[in-house]
Amino acid sequence: MLIVVALRWIEALTSGLGAADECALEHALRLAEQLDAQTLAVTAGPEPAEAVLRTALAAGIGDALRVDLTEDETDDGSRVARALADAIPAPDLVLCGDHSADRGTGATPAFLAAALNARQALGALSVAWDGKLLVERRLDGGRRERLAVGLPAVCSVEPADVRLRRASLPGLLAARKASITVHKALSTPDIRVIVESTRRFSPRTRRVPPPEGAEPHTRLLALTGALAEHDPPRLVHPADAKAGAAELLAYLRQHGYLE
């Protein structure tokens, strides 16, 4: 069995892997130990992206592969998924983090499952093996569901209770000198969707009027709204989706969002 962990490289992130990727890496290591499986860590990006692969090697992953993409190309989840699928040699299980630390959409695992023609289980809280792959997911209302997932499969995991093990000193030293295979990504674009340009997320600036009052205390009260009247919170239990939508629209009209 081949277990692949797909890790997200972020140029601006200097503290190592994101929490979700660390969780996916630890799940991959635990399953590999239980099943005596081969392991492979992959990432997409330029040469600096090999830092996340060396982290995986130090933790105990058997081999590493970097798909050579530019930083701009790694912002396109569909492009990354097709490049990874072309580079990975028929995996039985692929584990990914369900979201990245750079406000990514989290769509890459679903794209990857489609590219590999594999089953998918996204947003998992835990991944275990008991004769078959068992995945636990979070549902609304504090409920959980447990799925039996056939192989091959792609699973994305939430950063839940699993923490990445501490790498040993021999592992760290060996990871620094380890040879990492580089795969040249296919240059054929996906003509169904053309990405014209990408940019970093930047929240829109909101213009706020200055507080009224001559005294600092008065201006502070105006800024905090401590003396302003607020609508008391109320808990609404609509009978169905239609009633819930009507309640939401009424609230938006009341506060001037809709006319």
Side-chain angles (χ1 to χ4, degrees):
M1 178 181 287
L2 174 61
I3 299 177
V4 176
V5 55
L7 304 173
R8 166 73 168 163
W9 170 74
I10 305 168
E11 183 184 26
L13 190 64
T14 58
S15 58
L17 294 173
D21 280 343
E22 285 189 351
C23 192
L25 177 54
E26 179 60 27
H27 277 302
L29 291 169
R30 293 184 183 186
L31 289 173
E33 291 171 351
Q34 180 182 355
L35 300 173
D36 193 25
Q38 296 180 342
T39 53
L40 172 68
V42 298
T43 193
E47 187 174 353
E50 294 180 3
V52 298
L53 298 178
R54 297 193 186 280
T55 299
L57 290 171
I61 288 294
D63 204 357
L65 170 67
R66 175 174 66 87
V67 179
D68 190 28
L69 292 178
T70 66
E71 183 185 356
D72 290 338
E73 288 175 321
T74 61
D75 289 332
D76 183 354
S78 176
R79 174 79 173 93
V80 170
R82 286 183 288 112
L84 292 178
D86 179 63
I88 301 172
D92 296 287
L93 175 62
V94 180
L95 293 172
C96 320
D98 72 328
H99 63 271
S100 58
D102 61 344
R103 299 176 183 268
T105 63
T108 303
F111 283 127
L112 184 56
L116 291 171
N117 195 27
R119 298 169 178 84
Q120 59 176 310
L122 308 181
L125 294 172
S126 67
V127 181
W129 184 270
D130 186 11
K132 53 186 175 294
L133 186 66
L134 301 177
V135 175
E136 187 174 285
R137 300 176 67 244
R138 189 194 314 272
L139 297 178
D140 294 337
R143 294 174 296 171
R144 305 287 178 88
E145 69 174 357
R146 203 176 194 197
L147 307 175
V149 183
L151 301 180
V154 176
C155 297
S156 67
V157 298
E158 292 186 11
D161 298 332
V162 175
R163 296 178 63 88
L164 179 62
R165 64 192 63 184
R166 185 186 296 273
S168 65
L169 180 57
L172 288 169
L173 295 176
R176 291 181 180 179
K177 301 177 181 179
S179 176
I180 293 178
T181 305
V182 179
H183 178 85
K184 187 65 177 178
L186 295 175
S187 59
T188 54
D190 186 351
I191 60 174
R192 296 173 299 175
V193 178
I194 300 177
V195 180
E196 295 289 346
S197 62
T198 60
R199 61 181 178 84
R200 296 297 182 188
F201 172 78
S202 178
R204 183 176 298 175
T205 303
R206 187 177 63 172
R207 184 168 301 193
V208 179
E212 299 179 357
E215 298 295 328
H217 178 68
T218 306
R219 295 168 64 85
L220 182 60
L221 290 175
L223 283 172
T224 59
L227 300 181
E229 292 187 4
H230 300 281
D231 294 334
R234 57 196 184 98
L235 191 61
V236 179
H237 296 281
D240 51 31
K242 184 177 180 181
E247 184 71 28
L248 178 59
L249 291 172
Y251 176 87
L252 294 175
R253 292 191 185 97
Q254 177 186 350
H255 291 274
Y257 295 103
L258 296 177
E259 296 180 355

